[in-house]
Amino acid sequence: MHRGGGSPSAAANYLLCTNCRKVLRKDKRIRVSQPLTRGPSAFIPEKEVVQANTVDERTNFLVEEYSTSGRLDNITQVMSLHTQYLESFLRSQFYMLRMDGPLPLPHRHYIAIMAAARHQCSYLINMHVDEFLKTGGIAEWLNGLEYVPQRLKNLNEINKLLAHRPWLITKEHIQKLVKTGENNWSLPELVHAVVLLAHYHALASFVFGSGINPERDPEISNGFRLISVNNFCVCDLANDNNIENASLTGSNFGIVDSLSELEALMDRMKRLQGEREDEEASQEEMTTRFEKEKKESLFVVSGDTFHSFPHSDFEDDMIITSDVSRYIEDPGFGYEDFARRGEEHLPTFRAQDYTWENHGFSLVNRLYSDIGHLLDEKFRMVYNLTYNTMAAHEDVDTTTLRRALFNYVHCMFGIRYDDYDYGEVNQLLERSLKVYIKTVTCYPERTTKRMYDSYWRQFKHSEKVHVNLLLMEARMQAELLYALRAITRHLT
């Protein structure tokens, strides 16, 4: 099923896994029959996550207080490596799923399913299928979109655009939803839906980026629920995704090499902090650097060795199993680079013209009370979270690095900060990290353990989870900014 994008001869080098539908190289011999790795993550050794959970009573309290499932699920276990953040995350998620709000409870979970399906995230789909039924959802709706009320079906377009190309959302999309006669959405309902969609698109990035394993189900004899599209499959084990594979850190050379990478990164951070105090680039120079970084992001991923397939062959060729595709329309629609050649007419979103702090926050709070405060706390928490450490080093100011990660995500979505020097992104984020960021943010379902392992090889797993939290929140905020700006334009 080849529909443009790449050459048929190149595509002939690839196979489709019959179990999980991932695209694989033909030269990968799948001879693996061992079960998936135990523990909450296929990327992180189980003992590291378990240790964090056993010493932290706070995590157990938070789960009792704010978990909708009432159990310590795999996402929560991995996030508990950062308990401060976990509290903000669980509180805001609990509020949007369970507290007073414009939407009925089953609708909230169905919208979560629709959002997760855009990235084929079976982990989240399964979780919310259960919750949908527990909160009184109509089982027939789980047969697919043709069984749901037209009103919910009308969210398809905004779900698709938010997930993959949020810069295309206009006030006309908003008007179409709020002015459709008997199926219209009130603005409070629409804001609630948009918050849920953005939350679950971004959470899918975290699930794939952190290698979250399927939940073990105590009601099933072998401990695992059989689901048709797992995030991780035996094909991953043949494709360098298994936790035991230490290919990138196994040799002494690799360790020495990554130590020198770490030292070099710390030197660049110190130098940048000094330079910022000494001189400031002109506004014109700052704009030029943003445009350069935006265009360079085009070439990140494309044909990269860290991918198990060429970008061009994948572009219009997403093959999705029916279990997931029943919840979405236009499955072939995916991310396209904001800076795509020939589309320069798309205006850059100047962050100063519509900020979360001055515009988005107040609009959300006005139409869906209190969620604005909870989201704001979560954004601030992840942006400012620091332990002043990098790998084995202590007393390190990581501000420049955290800002580079957050702003690089926004750059890929066409959002520019006038007061930020995008030259810093190139100095602080190595190519393998950029590949990882772009994949997790834009095509999360393609993330592999090899990509996760390939960057920051001397860093702790908790630090890489911190990266994933930053990417998730930066993505969510980017989606919200575009959607809320369109709602504001509709109102004015």
Side-chain angles (χ1 to χ4, degrees):
M1 200 175 99
H2 190 82
R3 298 201 312 268
S7 67
S9 59
N13 297 322
Y14 298 86
L15 289 170
L16 200 65
C17 172
T18 53
N19 176 41
C20 73
R21 318 299 285 172
K22 282 201 182 86
V23 175
L24 303 167
R25 280 187 180 279
K26 276 189 179 169
D27 57 17
K28 293 283 182 188
R29 296 279 177 262
I30 300 175
R31 301 193 192 93
V32 188
S33 59
Q34 71 245 52
L36 290 168
T37 54
R38 301 293 174 183
S41 166
F43 296 174
I44 304 168
E46 184 179 11
K47 63 178 186 296
E48 290 204 23
V49 182
V50 170
Q51 277 167 359
N53 288 323
T54 48
V55 295
D56 205 328
E57 287 174 22
R58 181 79 185 147
T59 300
N60 295 322
F61 166 76
L62 292 172
V63 169
E64 285 170 25
E65 199 76 6
Y66 297 117
S67 167
T68 54
S69 66
R71 66 178 181 192
L72 186 62
D73 60 45
N74 290 345
I75 291 178
T76 309
Q77 286 190 64
V78 172
M79 278 189 189
S80 70
L81 292 166
H82 302 281
T83 320
Q84 276 178 290
Y85 169 82
L86 177 65
E87 180 162 2
S88 292
F89 173 85
L90 287 177
R91 284 178 65 212
S92 62
Q93 183 173 260
F94 187 78
Y95 189 89
M96 61 183 87
L97 289 175
R98 284 289 184 274
M99 301 297 280
D100 286 348
L103 294 173
L105 297 188
H107 285 60
R108 303 179 194 192
H109 292 290
Y110 201 86
I111 290 167
I113 292 167
M114 289 171 69
R118 285 299 335 168
H119 289 302
Q120 307 160 58
C121 187
S122 58
Y123 177 92
L124 290 174
I125 291 170
N126 285 320
M127 177 181 280
H128 288 281
V129 162
D130 283 352
E131 299 273 324
F132 171 75
L133 293 170
K134 278 182 201 158
T135 52
I138 298 164
E140 191 186 20
W141 292 12
L142 299 175
N143 290 327
L145 287 177
E146 61 268 37
Y147 296 88
V148 305
Q150 186 60 43
R151 206 162 157 274
L152 266 179
K153 213 185 290 187
N154 289 346
L155 281 181
N156 257 312
E157 187 71 9
I158 205 163
N159 181 25
K160 177 178 90 171
L161 294 177
L162 263 182
H164 307 296
R165 302 176 210 170
W167 53 87
L168 296 179
I169 293 174
T170 64
K171 67 177 183 182
E172 283 73 30
H173 291 109
I174 305 304
Q175 281 160 359
K176 208 184 280 187
L177 286 163
V178 298
K179 294 181 178 174
T180 46
E182 64 190 59
N183 296 315
N184 72 307
W185 288 75
S186 70
L187 278 174
E189 287 173 329
L190 184 56
V191 166
H192 193 171
V194 160
V195 168
L196 284 164
L197 290 171
H199 176 78
Y200 283 101
H201 295 151
L203 190 53
S205 283
F206 183 83
V207 167
F208 286 115
S210 305
I212 301 295
N213 270 330
E215 294 293 331
R216 293 190 191 185
D217 193 330
E219 293 167 24
I220 304 248
S221 57
N222 65 1
F224 283 103
R225 180 186 315 181
L226 293 173
I227 49 181
S228 54
V229 192
N230 272 332
N231 297 342
F232 300 97
C233 167
V234 289
C235 74
D236 288 314
L237 299 169
N239 203 24
D240 296 330
N241 259 8
N242 57 319
I243 196 88
E244 315 306 329
N245 177 9
S247 60
L248 285 151
T249 51
S251 68
N252 289 334
F253 172 77
I255 290 168
V256 171
D257 195 38
S258 58
L259 276 170
S260 58
E261 279 172 14
L262 173 63
E263 301 298 339
L265 174 59
M266 290 178 68
D267 285 344
R268 285 195 298 276
M269 285 166 64
K270 276 184 198 152
R271 196 177 67 246
L272 283 171
Q273 277 155 350
E275 283 172 5
R276 194 183 294 149
E277 288 160 18
D278 296 343
E279 56 171 299
E280 230 174 78
S282 69
Q283 203 53 56
E284 193 180 347
E285 176 60 23
M286 299 274 251
T287 305
T288 306
R289 289 175 190 176
F290 170 78
E291 293 300 329
K292 181 171 179 277
E293 192 54 53
K294 192 170 75 171
K295 286 201 169 60
E296 280 185 9
S297 77
L298 266 174
F299 302 103
V300 171
V301 175
S302 193
D304 204 286
T305 52
F306 292 103
H307 257 311
S308 53
F309 39 76
H311 177 54
S312 58
D313 282 342
F314 220 119
E315 215 155 76
D316 297 309
D317 211 15
M318 292 297 287
I319 301 163
I320 300 176
T321 54
S322 58
D323 249 37
V324 173
S325 63
R326 70 176 77 174
Y327 299 119
I328 55 172
E329 285 175 2
D330 197 0
F333 188 91
Y335 173 85
E336 275 189 4
D337 295 280
F338 179 83
R340 206 176 178 80
R341 284 146 294 186
E343 287 186 22
E344 262 101 33
H345 62 279
L346 281 171
T348 293
F349 186 127
R350 289 179 70 252
Q352 279 69 12
D353 295 342
Y354 194 93
T355 65
W356 164 256
E357 293 79 8
N358 298 333
H359 307 92
F361 169 77
S362 55
L363 178 68
V364 166
N365 254 8
R366 180 154 59 90
L367 293 169
Y368 177 20
S369 61
D370 288 340
I371 193 64
H373 290 292
L374 291 164
L375 293 175
D376 191 59
E377 182 194 321
K378 185 161 63 91
F379 292 147
R380 288 175 193 274
M381 170 64 71
V382 80
Y383 195 79
N384 296 317
L385 184 67
T386 183
Y387 305 94
N388 298 112
T389 59
M390 271 177 71
H393 297 263
E394 295 184 353
D395 300 318
V396 183
D397 183 352
T398 59
T399 309
T400 52
L401 194 52
R402 282 178 277 127
R403 193 173 183 195
L405 288 162
F406 200 90
N407 287 0
Y408 185 57
V409 172
H410 280 199
C411 175
M412 288 186 296
F413 286 99
I415 299 172
R416 175 168 80 88
Y417 294 85
D418 287 350
D419 60 350
Y420 183 67
D421 179 359
Y422 286 85
E424 291 189 9
V425 167
N426 255 349
Q427 294 193 57
L428 296 176
L429 309 184
E430 66 197 53
R431 182 170 175 79
S432 58
L433 175 53
K434 282 184 170 182
V435 169
Y436 178 78
I437 292 169
K438 186 165 183 180
T439 307
V440 168
T441 308
C442 306
Y443 325 93
E445 60 277 13
R446 303 184 197 176
T447 311
T448 65
K449 185 172 187 293
R450 183 190 290 190
M451 286 179 200
Y452 175 89
D453 285 340
S454 69
Y455 81 92
W456 286 5
R457 287 169 285 174
Q458 284 299 307
F459 282 67
K460 299 193 267 296
H461 286 288
S462 62
E463 291 170 314
K464 291 193 169 191
V465 170
H466 188 180
V467 169
N468 285 336
L469 296 176
L470 273 163
L471 304 185
M472 170 172 74
E473 295 299 351
R475 177 182 179 180
M476 182 178 184
Q477 194 180 95
E479 288 190 25
L480 285 178
L481 284 172
Y482 278 111
L484 296 173
R485 183 180 69 167
I487 292 171
T488 299
R489 286 175 174 174
H490 160 72
L491 287 168
T492 50

